[in-house]
């Protein structure tokens, strides 16, 4: 009924408050460009490339002896820079597609 309140005393459930608000501004822009999805794909590609580089380095080219910590740092740098590049390119491609639709 219209005059009845939920049992917990709130007028609207807390989960529906955000669903009632329409997206506008920066949130809508980020959602339209699919930035989260692109960041996840970028991270997956970056980690996969870093792992492949580790496998090549330690399995195929096992002649050079240096500290493994050095290669962990290089692997992290490779993964993060690749993730950023892939996310940027995917977001740029989405922005170009959306701009062409206008």
């Amino acid at each position: 009924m219209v005059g009845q309140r939920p049992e917990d005393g709130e007028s609207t459930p807390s989960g529906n408050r955000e669903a009632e608000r329409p997206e506008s501004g920066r949130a809508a822009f980020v959602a339209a460009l699919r930035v989260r999805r692109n960041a996840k794909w970028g991270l997956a590609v970056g980690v996969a490339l870093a792992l492949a580089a580790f496998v090549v380095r330690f399995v195929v080219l096992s002649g050079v002896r240096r500290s493994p910590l050095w290669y962990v740092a290089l692997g992290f740098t490779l993964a993060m820079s690749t993730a950023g590049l892939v996310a940027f390119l995917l977001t740029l491609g989405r922005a170009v597609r959306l701009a062409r639709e206008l």
Side-chain angles (χ1 to χ4, degrees):
M1 299 232 156
V2 176
Q4 292 181 346
R5 298 181 113 191
E7 291 179 8
D8 60 356
E10 293 185 24
S11 59
T12 59
S14 60
N16 291 337
R17 285 183 189 162
E18 299 207 12
E20 292 174 3
R21 247 188 277 157
E23 281 193 9
S24 63
R26 192 177 299 167
F29 184 63
V30 168
L33 291 178
R34 298 180 184 166
V35 173
R36 266 186 195 222
R37 182 189 71 90
N38 295 341
K40 288 177 185 177
W41 273 103
L43 186 61
V45 170
V47 168
L49 180 66
L51 287 176
F54 258 66
V55 167
V56 167
R57 165 64 188 95
F58 286 110
V59 174
V60 178
L61 306 171
S62 60
V64 179
R65 300 283 178 217
R66 292 206 178 154
S67 170
L69 186 59
W70 174 255
Y71 293 106
V72 168
L74 287 175
F76 178 77
T77 303
L78 177 64
M80 292 300 108
S81 60
T82 302
L85 179 64
V86 169
F88 169 73
L89 292 175
L90 288 172
T91 304
L92 181 65
R94 177 74 177 160
V96 168
R97 271 184 258 125
L98 288 175
R100 287 184 181 165
E101 289 178 7
L102 291 179

